[in-house]
Structures are given as C-alpha cells and as structure tokens.
Amino acid sequence: MSGKTERPELPSVSIVFFMYYLVQNRPVMSEDAAVDYLEKLQRVLNLFDHVFYVKLWMAALTGLAEEPVEANSTGHYLLWKSFVLVKLPTLIEKLEERKSSRLSHNGILPYEQFEGLKYSCHECVINQLFGFHGLFSACNQHFEETIDVIFQAPDVSVDILKVCLKKNLVRREFVLRLFEDRSIELWSGSDSTDSDAFTVNILDDPSSQNIDHLISTSSMHQESRVTTILKLVTTWSANKELKPLAILCRSINENPSLLDIIHLYRHPSEFLGPLEKLCNAWEKLTNDNSIESYIQDYENFGIIFLLLVSIIDRYEFHKNLKDVLRDENGFCHTWILQSSVAYEHEMLDPEKLAIVEPWVNALLSYQNITDQIIRTTNPRVLIELAPTIFKTTFKMWSDETFSNLEIFLNPHTSYALIGVVQWLCDDICFKGQNSLSSKILKILMSNVNFPQPIIRLMGEKLLSIFDRPTGSLPSVEDDETINELKIAALTLEPSWTVSKHPSETLFSRFKIMFKSIVYCGRQRKSTLNIDYEYESLQADLSSDLSWWGPHHLDTDLFRACLEIHGPKIFVGLIVEEILSAGEKGTGLRAAELGASLITLPLCYTWNAYLQPPNLIHILFTEVLPRALEKKITMYSQGRALGFLTFFVLMTSDRDSCAFGKRKAHEDFSKEVWKPLTNGPARGFIDGLISHNDIGDKFPELALKKFLISLGVIDYDQGLPE
C-alpha cells in the first residue's frame, strides 16, 4: 500500500483513541466493524502497513503500561492484557485476510506472494517495536506486582511473539532466531481444539470445582475460555440443566472483570440470548414434587436471572434492550421496563390477587411461607409482584417489629428483592429518611443474609439513599455506617473514572481531557518535544485531581458530556477545541480526536439523536458553517477544520453525511467562499482537498456539491485551485 513513513514514537491520536474505545466501551464494536474502521484509519493517515501496525501495537501497549495494578483496577489491567494478546492480534489477522482476499480476487497479487510480503511486514514491525525498551519495561514492571499467569513469561515481548506466530503473522524461524539463546516453549494447536477439550471435560463432569477452575483460570488463550463459557451456557440453557448453569452463572457474577473480557470478544446478545429464553419460558423442570426440589429450582432460577439483570445493568443495556434481548414481549424485556412497579391492591386481577394475599399474610403472621405457597408461585410471578406484596403489607402493619422480612432473605426467594429495593429507594426519595420504607430497607440491609449480588446491582442507588448531610460524623456503632461500608466493599469494582461527572464541571473536564490527549498528555509529563501549554495544563490537572482517573483518555467522560449536554453543544465544544489547538500548531492532532469522537458511537442507545449520523449532520449544517463564517483567524485553524472534514468524510458512510442531499444553511451567504479562498480560512480548502484519497471516494462532482452545501463555492464555479 502506498503511504508515508513518520516517527512512530507518538501514535496518532485517532489510533490511540480507537484502542481505548475498543477496551472501554461496551458492548464492544464487532470485529468486522472494527476492521472496517481500521482500514479507513490507515487510508486517512496515509501510512504504510508496517508503520500503521507499529502504531497499533504501541497504542495498545501504552494502554497496558498506563493501567495501574492496584486492587481496585486489576480487572481492567487483565482486560488490557487480553486486548494486547488476543483482541488486537485477531483484528490484525482479519485485516490481513481482507487485504489478501481483495488482492487475490482482483488478480493483483497471488496468495503465496502476499504471504511472503505479510511475513516480511510483520517481522519488520516486531523488530521496530522491540526497539522501544522503555515501553516494554513499563509493561514488564507490572509482572512483579501481579500473581496471575495470563503472561506465560515475565516479558510481554515473548508473548507478543507467541501470539503473532499463532496468528500466522511471522515465521517460526524468525521467532527462534530472536530467542536462540533462550528456552521458549512455542504455542502449538488451535483455540478451537482447546475450547472443545474444555467443553467436553466440563460437560462430562459439571462439578463446581471444574466450573470454578474454568472461571478462575488466567491464560493467554482467553478466546478459548470465552468460547467454552458460551458453549456451556448455550448447551445447559437449551437442555434446561439448571444446576450446572446456576453454578456457572454464580461464578461469573462473582468475577465482574470476566464479564468485561467476555464482552471484549463477543456481543452480549450471544450470552444473554440463551439465558433470556430459559427465564422467559421457565416452568418446574423435574418430576420431583418434593418441596426441596422446588426450593432448589427456585434458587437456581434466581441465580441465573440475577446474572442476566446484572449484565444489562453493568453495561447500561437498558438504553437499547432490543439489541440484547430478542423477545420484546417476553418476561425479561417487559419486567426490566417496569421492575419497581407496585400495583394498588384494588387493581389486581383475581389471579394475581390469589398470589399476593398468601405472601402478605405470611409477612403479617410472622410464620414461614408454606409449602403450598412455594408450589403455586412461579418465580417470574414472584419477581413481578414482590413490590406489590411489600406495598400491600405496609398498609396493614400495625407495629415496627418486622421480624418476618426474613422470608424474602432465603436463597430461593431473595432474587425477588431486586424490584423491592428499587421501589423502597424510590419511596424513600419521596417520603424521606423517617419513612417506613427507610426503616425496612435498613433492616434488610443489616441482615447478614441480604444477597450480595443485589448490593452490587443496586450499590449506586443504595449509597445515594444512605448519603449523609455534609459535616455529619458517623458513630462506630451506627447501623447506617455499617450498611454504607458493606455496599462500598461489594461495589468496589473497577471503574474507568472515580467521579460521576457532575454536569456543572463537564465543560472544563471535557476541555482538560481533550487538551491532555492533543498535547500528548500522560500521567507524567511527556519526554517528547511537544510541550506547548502543557505546564498550564498540568496546573489545571493538579487543581482537580479528585476526578482524574488512571487513564489519560476516558471515553466515559466524553459520553457523559454528549448525553447530558446534547449533540449540538458536544460538536460545538469539539470545534472550539480544534480552533484553539490550531492556534498552537496542534490542530491536526485535535482534528483527529474530534473526528473520532464524531464518527464512533459513544452511546449505546436507541436514541438516534446521540448517534454519529446526527453528530455529522450537526457538524456540516450548523457548527462548521458558523466556524467558517466567524471563527477562523489563522490559516492553521482553517487547515485543521479542513482535515476534520476530510477525516469525517473518509471514516463515515456516505448516507451519514447526508452528502449532497441538503444545504448547510439556506441563508448562509454565497459570498462566504471569497474569504475562504483568499483569507486565513483558505486552509480549510487546502486541508480538505490536499489528500489524494479524497478524490477516490468522493468524485469531483460530489465534492463540488459538498462545497456548495457549505457555501464555499457557487453553483456555477469549479473547484478552487
């Protein structure tokens, strides 16, 4: 491929952002879509293959090196390891396969000749990459701090060589030559073989020991483990084997970092689909009518259902349920939309009333629930009606001795507390801390049998309910403090940020993050010769370190800004920062980052208003014309906006740009093109049409229509020279 070479010490902003985007965003972009975007990135950046691949590896290794290995961030460290050693090599392998297929199909290059060039390219990549000793040292230092064995050797370079050999990117003799003085055990076999062997072993002996071993195993072959887990979930769900499936679901729910790794490789619908189908159609599965059999089945159902709900909550899939749950009319889908609904007693139909009344009587009579109640209550119905049961009981309680709440703390009933806790929290918000709901919630939380999965699931909401007034000092014996500590201990899961991004500070945080990335910001000052206003940036950071996470790049912050302030403000902020960077000579780097933010979907939601096509439309119809008309004072600013426009056009579908279908502004004066072609903003034209690739994808006529829609040229004019 034609392209250019450049210093690889500083990976392009767009490449760095895309690497972090793939690791941080859930659900992860599909592999085919990721390969498409990588192809477009390489074309936009106009890089030779070996330079492009070096930058990919460096960006991924930078993420690994910058991820701290404290107790509360180990999960994301493992995720970065999996990305470096599994996900990225897989994407490179698929990208090479696509190039090979295209070249051989068009008769340009025989497959055998392409293979030789591919080996030469990636062996050159390895030789160049291994020259960055500081980067590898930063990654290798972590090995002394961790006890997992995801790396098989105390040197990341060894495992990169292994995985490149496994993906057929380098030759065996090349690897042996590099390590001729060391004893290196090279990989042999296939991931599918590993997966099949794991699956058969566990299907033959689905003991808790074997399942726990599968979950806790840290190895370089993460794809095999994920494939095995999905096969087990699919098989056991289809065969309605609740016991081993419940053991597996419990183990996964207790290892949230594993969920991140699973969804790094597979779309969550693959995992949730079998569980959803089982929960939607659940009935008593065995002919054993003993009460013990019912209780065990109910408990297993609760474990499976809790995992399903936890996954949806952890990755905020409730914003777009139809993409992860297949049956819109099924129990799971409808319940999630109304999980905390509590019906009035008078509104219940006879069938539901017949279920609610025995449970209410059991709570009021301080007696255990009878075998008959258990046999006649479907777990799905109990989950749906649990808030109603509590609401109805509240109206009849005559004292504050709530001892029989424990009937909902048994393993075979506690899963129904999801909706109950949500309803109690909502009721407390309306009625205050002295309400009956508050007392009940504290009693439930103080019980040692209160289920930990529900605390993890509802932790954020519970902590907001227990939040104290500023300045109040808790007592050592304060039950509320004990509850807070319990919640905090169980919800201390890895998080990309240590703040919820209060809306009033989003603007400043957006700008600091944007500048940090554009000016090569890391946790420590860059040793590269690109300082600009980095000193003042460091001062800004040090003044508000309470929110600054371990990464110099946080896609959650950008997403929060888009969701809270809306796409117009979001795109406007991007263009403002590009103009600011253009004054200091870093406009092109800012344009790369801005284009990535506009063309990659930050929000997983049904709301098209927050998706790239609308952001692109706003850029072309409102923000860009306004900037071209009033904001540009320097040639470098115009060139940065021209490159932004080029980048967006080249990495987006034509339909997303509404190319040639609508004018930017009907009132936008046609006279604007004159200062664009002769003044400081002339850089916009140069930045847009100075790339050879723009003509390949957008013919002259289409480009002319686009410039007309912006008001850059008139209908009867040709393209500016």
Side-chain angles (χ1 to χ4, degrees), residues 212-456:
D212 289 341
H213 177 70
L214 171 67
I215 297 301
S216 61
T217 298
S218 291
S219 68
M220 194 167 137
H221 307 299
Q222 292 290 357
E223 280 179 306
S224 296
R225 183 160 67 140
V226 171
T227 301
T228 299
I229 290 171
L230 287 175
K231 285 181 180 178
L232 294 174
V233 168
T234 303
T235 302
W236 286 335
S237 297
N239 297 336
K240 298 181 179 178
E241 298 181 51
L242 287 186
K243 184 177 179 180
L245 181 60
I247 295 173
L248 179 62
C249 289
R250 188 198 300 275
S251 297
I252 294 174
N253 211 8
E254 292 173 353
N255 291 270
S257 60
L258 178 59
L259 285 175
D260 290 333
I261 292 175
I262 289 173
H263 295 134
L264 179 65
Y265 306 127
R266 302 296 189 94
H267 193 277
S269 60
E270 295 182 50
F271 193 85
L272 292 175
L275 301 182
E276 176 199 10
K277 188 175 181 181
L278 176 64
C279 291
N280 282 347
W282 191 92
E283 298 291 344
K284 183 69 171 65
L285 301 178
T286 66
N287 295 323
D288 185 353
N289 289 321
S290 66
I291 191 61
E292 291 77 12
S293 174
Y294 275 94
I295 288 175
Q296 187 60 59
D297 274 4
Y298 286 12
E299 181 179 347
N300 291 336
F301 172 86
I303 294 170
I304 296 166
F305 182 74
L306 276 173
L307 176 62
L308 182 145
V309 177
S310 297
I311 293 173
I312 291 173
D313 177 78
R314 181 176 177 83
Y315 305 114
E316 300 182 2
F317 293 147
H318 56 273
K319 297 178 181 178
N320 209 14
L321 275 178
K322 64 181 181 180
D323 277 3
V324 291
L325 297 182
R326 299 166 182 172
D327 185 359
E328 293 187 33
N329 298 317
F331 164 73
C332 295
H333 192 282
T334 55
W335 177 83
I336 288 172
L337 295 178
Q338 53 186 24
S339 55
S340 62
V341 172
Y343 302 99
E344 293 293 339
H345 191 267
E346 299 76 16
M347 296 176 60
L348 296 173
D349 58 47
E351 184 178 349
K352 290 182 178 178
L353 195 61
I355 295 172
V356 169
E357 287 183 341
W359 284 89
V360 172
N361 292 333
L363 283 172
L364 291 173
S365 64
Y366 309 109
Q367 297 176 358
N368 290 328
I369 51 176
T370 64
D371 295 353
Q372 182 60 26
I373 294 177
I374 294 176
R375 285 193 171 95
T376 56
T377 305
N378 188 302
R380 288 178 295 142
V381 178
L382 180 60
I383 291 171
E384 178 187 358
L385 294 179
T388 302
I389 293 171
F390 270 73
K391 182 176 182 178
T392 305
T393 307
F394 279 15
K395 294 180 178 181
M396 302 180 184
W397 249 316
S398 58
D399 56 49
E400 297 183 2
T401 310
F402 311 118
S403 59
N404 220 29
L405 289 173
E406 292 194 0
I407 67 173
F408 271 94
L409 293 173
N410 296 310
H412 58 280
T413 55
S414 60
Y415 52 85
L417 287 174
I418 304 176
V420 171
V421 172
Q422 287 179 301
W423 177 76
L424 289 173
C425 290
D426 293 340
D427 199 51
I428 294 169
C429 287
F430 283 106
K431 298 179 181 178
Q433 293 288 347
N434 294 324
S435 63
L436 180 59
S437 296
S438 179
K439 295 174 183 177
I440 296 295
L441 180 59
K442 291 173 183 176
I443 290 172
L444 287 171
M445 282 289 304
S446 301
N447 194 296
V448 294
N449 294 321
F450 192 83
Q452 294 184 359
I454 292 181
I455 296 179
R456 283 194 292 265

Side-chain angles (χ1 to χ4, degrees), residues 62 76 93 101 134 344 373 381 427 513 611:
T62 298
H76 286 145
E93 179 188 33
S101 175
E344 293 293 339
I373 294 177
V381 178
D427 199 51
M513 179 70 71
Q611 295 304 311

